[in-house]
PDB file of all heavy atoms in Angstrom:
ATOM      1  N   GLY A 460     168.003  73.989  76.800  1.00  0.00           N
ATOM      2  CA  GLY A 460     166.820  73.156  77.075  1.00  0.00           C
ATOM      3  C   GLY A 460     165.647  73.919  77.674  1.00  0.00           C
ATOM      4  O   GLY A 460     164.808  73.339  78.371  1.00  0.00           O
ATOM      5  N   ALA A 461     165.579  75.232  77.375  1.00  0.00           N
ATOM      6  CA  ALA A 461     164.400  75.992  77.832  1.00  0.00           C
ATOM      7  C   ALA A 461     163.209  75.634  76.943  1.00  0.00           C
ATOM      8  O   ALA A 461     163.380  75.201  75.807  1.00  0.00           O
ATOM      9  CB  ALA A 461     164.687  77.490  77.752  1.00  0.00           C
ATOM     10  N   ASP A 462     162.012  75.834  77.471  1.00  0.00           N
ATOM     11  CA  ASP A 462     160.805  75.504  76.680  1.00  0.00           C
ATOM     12  C   ASP A 462     160.389  76.649  75.776  1.00  0.00           C
ATOM     13  O   ASP A 462     159.662  76.442  74.813  1.00  0.00           O
ATOM     14  CB  ASP A 462     159.647  75.180  77.629  1.00  0.00           C
ATOM     15  CG  ASP A 462     159.986  74.028  78.549  1.00  0.00           C
ATOM     16  OD1 ASP A 462     160.208  72.919  78.031  1.00  0.00           O
ATOM     17  OD2 ASP A 462     160.065  74.243  79.781  1.00  0.00           O
ATOM     18  N   GLY A 463     160.804  77.873  76.134  1.00  0.00           N
ATOM     19  CA  GLY A 463     160.356  79.009  75.332  1.00  0.00           C
ATOM     20  C   GLY A 463     161.317  80.177  75.447  1.00  0.00           C
ATOM     21  O   GLY A 463     162.105  80.277  76.398  1.00  0.00           O
ATOM     22  N   TYR A 464     161.227  81.054  74.449  1.00  0.00           N
ATOM     23  CA  TYR A 464     162.040  82.280  74.408  1.00  0.00           C
ATOM     24  C   TYR A 464     161.181  83.385  73.804  1.00  0.00           C
ATOM     25  O   TYR A 464     160.349  83.105  72.934  1.00  0.00           O
ATOM     26  CB  TYR A 464     163.277  82.055  73.528  1.00  0.00           C
ATOM     27  CG  TYR A 464     163.838  83.342  72.957  1.00  0.00           C
ATOM     28  CD1 TYR A 464     164.596  84.197  73.748  1.00  0.00           C
ATOM     29  CD2 TYR A 464     163.561  83.730  71.638  1.00  0.00           C
ATOM     30  CE1 TYR A 464     165.070  85.404  73.241  1.00  0.00           C
ATOM     31  CE2 TYR A 464     164.028  84.931  71.124  1.00  0.00           C
ATOM     32  CZ  TYR A 464     164.787  85.760  71.929  1.00  0.00           C
ATOM     33  OH  TYR A 464     165.245  86.963  71.430  1.00  0.00           O
ATOM     34  N   ALA A 465     161.389  84.596  74.267  1.00  0.00           N
ATOM     35  CA  ALA A 465     160.705  85.720  73.625  1.00  0.00           C
ATOM     36  C   ALA A 465     161.644  86.920  73.596  1.00  0.00           C
ATOM     37  O   ALA A 465     162.350  87.183  74.572  1.00  0.00           O
ATOM     38  CB  ALA A 465     159.431  86.083  74.384  1.00  0.00           C
ATOM     39  N   PRO A 466     161.637  87.661  72.489  1.00  0.00           N
ATOM     40  CA  PRO A 466     162.526  88.812  72.355  1.00  0.00           C
ATOM     41  C   PRO A 466     161.996  90.090  73.005  1.00  0.00           C
ATOM     42  O   PRO A 466     162.743  91.038  73.204  1.00  0.00           O
ATOM     43  CB  PRO A 466     162.623  89.005  70.832  1.00  0.00           C
ATOM     44  CG  PRO A 466     161.344  88.446  70.306  1.00  0.00           C
ATOM     45  CD  PRO A 466     160.927  87.349  71.234  1.00  0.00           C
ATOM     46  N   ASN A 467     160.695  90.107  73.296  1.00  0.00           N
ATOM     47  CA  ASN A 467     160.111  91.317  73.902  1.00  0.00           C
ATOM     48  C   ASN A 467     158.898  90.922  74.750  1.00  0.00           C
ATOM     49  O   ASN A 467     158.490  89.752  74.759  1.00  0.00           O
ATOM     50  CB  ASN A 467     159.720  92.336  72.826  1.00  0.00           C
ATOM     51  CG  ASN A 467     158.799  91.726  71.796  1.00  0.00           C
ATOM     52  OD1 ASN A 467     157.848  91.042  72.136  1.00  0.00           O
ATOM     53  ND2 ASN A 467     159.087  91.953  70.536  1.00  0.00           N
ATOM     54  N   ALA A 468     158.331  91.920  75.436  1.00  0.00           N
ATOM     55  CA  ALA A 468     157.272  91.589  76.396  1.00  0.00           C
ATOM     56  C   ALA A 468     155.974  91.093  75.744  1.00  0.00           C
ATOM     57  O   ALA A 468     155.406  90.099  76.208  1.00  0.00           O
ATOM     58  CB  ALA A 468     157.017  92.795  77.303  1.00  0.00           C
ATOM     59  N   PRO A 469     155.477  91.738  74.676  1.00  0.00           N
ATOM     60  CA  PRO A 469     154.241  91.209  74.074  1.00  0.00           C
ATOM     61  C   PRO A 469     154.408  89.762  73.598  1.00  0.00           C
ATOM     62  O   PRO A 469     153.523  88.924  73.774  1.00  0.00           O
ATOM     63  CB  PRO A 469     153.992  92.159  72.894  1.00  0.00           C
ATOM     64  CG  PRO A 469     154.672  93.426  73.271  1.00  0.00           C
ATOM     65  CD  PRO A 469     155.877  93.024  74.048  1.00  0.00           C
ATOM     66  N   GLU A 470     155.578  89.485  73.016  1.00  0.00           N
ATOM     67  CA  GLU A 470     155.845  88.128  72.544  1.00  0.00           C
ATOM     68  C   GLU A 470     155.969  87.174  73.752  1.00  0.00           C
ATOM     69  O   GLU A 470     155.540  86.012  73.693  1.00  0.00           O
ATOM     70  CB  GLU A 470     157.149  88.150  71.726  1.00  0.00           C
ATOM     71  CG  GLU A 470     157.504  86.875  71.021  1.00  0.00           C
ATOM     72  CD  GLU A 470     156.529  86.446  69.924  1.00  0.00           C
ATOM     73  OE1 GLU A 470     155.609  87.211  69.582  1.00  0.00           O
ATOM     74  OE2 GLU A 470     156.687  85.315  69.434  1.00  0.00           O
ATOM     75  N   ALA A 471     156.504  87.679  74.863  1.00  0.00           N
ATOM     76  CA  ALA A 471     156.628  86.856  76.075  1.00  0.00           C
ATOM     77  C   ALA A 471     155.243  86.410  76.558  1.00  0.00           C
ATOM     78  O   ALA A 471     155.056  85.276  77.012  1.00  0.00           O
ATOM     79  CB  ALA A 471     157.350  87.637  77.183  1.00  0.00           C
ATOM     80  N   VAL A 472     154.273  87.292  76.433  1.00  0.00           N
ATOM     81  CA  VAL A 472     152.915  86.947  76.854  1.00  0.00           C
ATOM     82  C   VAL A 472     152.357  85.848  75.946  1.00  0.00           C
ATOM     83  O   VAL A 472     151.764  84.870  76.412  1.00  0.00           O
ATOM     84  CB  VAL A 472     152.000  88.194  76.802  1.00  0.00           C
ATOM     85  CG1 VAL A 472     150.557  87.818  77.051  1.00  0.00           C
ATOM     86  CG2 VAL A 472     152.462  89.215  77.833  1.00  0.00           C
ATOM     87  N   ARG A 473     152.599  85.999  74.639  1.00  0.00           N
ATOM     88  CA  ARG A 473     152.096  84.990  73.696  1.00  0.00           C
ATOM     89  C   ARG A 473     152.712  83.619  74.004  1.00  0.00           C
ATOM     90  O   ARG A 473     152.017  82.613  74.100  1.00  0.00           O
ATOM     91  CB  ARG A 473     152.428  85.421  72.248  1.00  0.00           C
ATOM     92  CG  ARG A 473     151.684  84.646  71.186  1.00  0.00           C
ATOM     93  CD  ARG A 473     152.260  84.862  69.804  1.00  0.00           C
ATOM     94  NE  ARG A 473     153.662  84.468  69.656  1.00  0.00           N
ATOM     95  CZ  ARG A 473     154.086  83.217  69.636  1.00  0.00           C
ATOM     96  NH1 ARG A 473     153.243  82.221  69.733  1.00  0.00           N
ATOM     97  NH2 ARG A 473     155.377  82.951  69.502  1.00  0.00           N
ATOM     98  N   VAL A 474     154.028  83.611  74.231  1.00  0.00           N
ATOM     99  CA  VAL A 474     154.713  82.344  74.509  1.00  0.00           C
ATOM    100  C   VAL A 474     154.243  81.777  75.855  1.00  0.00           C
ATOM    101  O   VAL A 474     154.013  80.565  75.985  1.00  0.00           O
ATOM    102  CB  VAL A 474     156.254  82.547  74.491  1.00  0.00           C
ATOM    103  CG1 VAL A 474     156.989  81.278  74.915  1.00  0.00           C
ATOM    104  CG2 VAL A 474     156.708  82.975  73.107  1.00  0.00           C
ATOM    105  N   ALA A 475     154.063  82.645  76.832  1.00  0.00           N
ATOM    106  CA  ALA A 475     153.612  82.183  78.153  1.00  0.00           C
ATOM    107  C   ALA A 475     152.245  81.507  78.051  1.00  0.00           C
ATOM    108  O   ALA A 475     152.003  80.456  78.648  1.00  0.00           O
ATOM    109  CB  ALA A 475     153.545  83.354  79.131  1.00  0.00           C
ATOM    110  N   LEU A 476     151.370  82.117  77.253  1.00  0.00           N
ATOM    111  CA  LEU A 476     150.033  81.521  77.082  1.00  0.00           C
ATOM    112  C   LEU A 476     150.141  80.153  76.409  1.00  0.00           C
ATOM    113  O   LEU A 476     149.505  79.188  76.839  1.00  0.00           O
ATOM    114  CB  LEU A 476     149.145  82.440  76.233  1.00  0.00           C
ATOM    115  CG  LEU A 476     148.522  83.627  76.950  1.00  0.00           C
ATOM    116  CD1 LEU A 476     147.781  84.511  75.959  1.00  0.00           C
ATOM    117  CD2 LEU A 476     147.576  83.161  78.055  1.00  0.00           C
ATOM    118  N   GLU A 477     150.981  80.106  75.380  1.00  0.00           N
ATOM    119  CA  GLU A 477     151.175  78.843  74.653  1.00  0.00           C
ATOM    120  C   GLU A 477     151.696  77.768  75.622  1.00  0.00           C
ATOM    121  O   GLU A 477     151.165  76.662  75.671  1.00  0.00           O
ATOM    122  CB  GLU A 477     152.220  79.097  73.575  1.00  0.00           C
ATOM    123  CG  GLU A 477     152.058  78.304  72.308  1.00  0.00           C
ATOM    124  CD  GLU A 477     153.100  78.788  71.305  1.00  0.00           C
ATOM    125  OE1 GLU A 477     154.239  78.309  71.346  1.00  0.00           O
ATOM    126  OE2 GLU A 477     152.749  79.684  70.522  1.00  0.00           O
ATOM    127  N   LEU A 478     152.693  78.133  76.414  1.00  0.00           N
ATOM    128  CA  LEU A 478     153.312  77.146  77.308  1.00  0.00           C
ATOM    129  C   LEU A 478     152.369  76.716  78.426  1.00  0.00           C
ATOM    130  O   LEU A 478     152.323  75.537  78.789  1.00  0.00           O
ATOM    131  CB  LEU A 478     154.605  77.718  77.912  1.00  0.00           C
ATOM    132  CG  LEU A 478     155.769  77.920  76.940  1.00  0.00           C
ATOM    133  CD1 LEU A 478     156.945  78.575  77.656  1.00  0.00           C
ATOM    134  CD2 LEU A 478     156.211  76.600  76.337  1.00  0.00           C
ATOM    135  N   THR A 479     151.616  77.649  78.989  1.00  0.00           N
ATOM    136  CA  THR A 479     150.744  77.271  80.099  1.00  0.00           C
ATOM    137  C   THR A 479     149.556  76.448  79.594  1.00  0.00           C
ATOM    138  O   THR A 479     149.075  75.564  80.283  1.00  0.00           O
ATOM    139  CB  THR A 479     150.231  78.497  80.894  1.00  0.00           C
ATOM    140  OG1 THR A 479     149.707  79.439  79.980  1.00  0.00           O
ATOM    141  CG2 THR A 479     151.312  79.123  81.727  1.00  0.00           C
ATOM    142  N   GLN A 480     149.134  76.743  78.364  1.00  0.00           N
ATOM    143  CA  GLN A 480     148.027  75.943  77.832  1.00  0.00           C
ATOM    144  C   GLN A 480     148.475  74.523  77.534  1.00  0.00           C
ATOM    145  O   GLN A 480     147.780  73.571  77.838  1.00  0.00           O
ATOM    146  CB  GLN A 480     147.435  76.604  76.587  1.00  0.00           C
ATOM    147  CG  GLN A 480     146.435  77.678  77.010  1.00  0.00           C
ATOM    148  CD  GLN A 480     146.178  78.713  75.941  1.00  0.00           C
ATOM    149  OE1 GLN A 480     146.479  78.495  74.767  1.00  0.00           O
ATOM    150  NE2 GLN A 480     145.615  79.830  76.328  1.00  0.00           N
ATOM    151  N   VAL A 481     149.694  74.392  76.989  1.00  0.00           N
ATOM    152  CA  VAL A 481     150.235  73.048  76.717  1.00  0.00           C
ATOM    153  C   VAL A 481     150.373  72.285  78.026  1.00  0.00           C
ATOM    154  O   VAL A 481     150.099  71.099  78.111  1.00  0.00           O
ATOM    155  CB  VAL A 481     151.618  73.151  76.003  1.00  0.00           C
ATOM    156  CG1 VAL A 481     152.291  71.790  75.931  1.00  0.00           C
ATOM    157  CG2 VAL A 481     151.421  73.712  74.610  1.00  0.00           C
ATOM    158  N   ALA A 482     150.769  73.036  79.096  1.00  0.00           N
ATOM    159  CA  ALA A 482     150.999  72.379  80.384  1.00  0.00           C
ATOM    160  C   ALA A 482     149.693  72.051  81.101  1.00  0.00           C
ATOM    161  O   ALA A 482     149.698  71.405  82.135  1.00  0.00           O
ATOM    162  CB  ALA A 482     151.848  73.296  81.265  1.00  0.00           C
TER     163      ALA A 482
END
Side-chain angles (χ1 to χ4, degrees):
D462 302 297
Y464 156 77
N467 55 46
E470 187 65 7
V472 172
R473 194 193 60 72
V474 174
L476 280 175
E477 212 174 85
L478 291 176
T479 50
Q480 277 159 17
V481 170

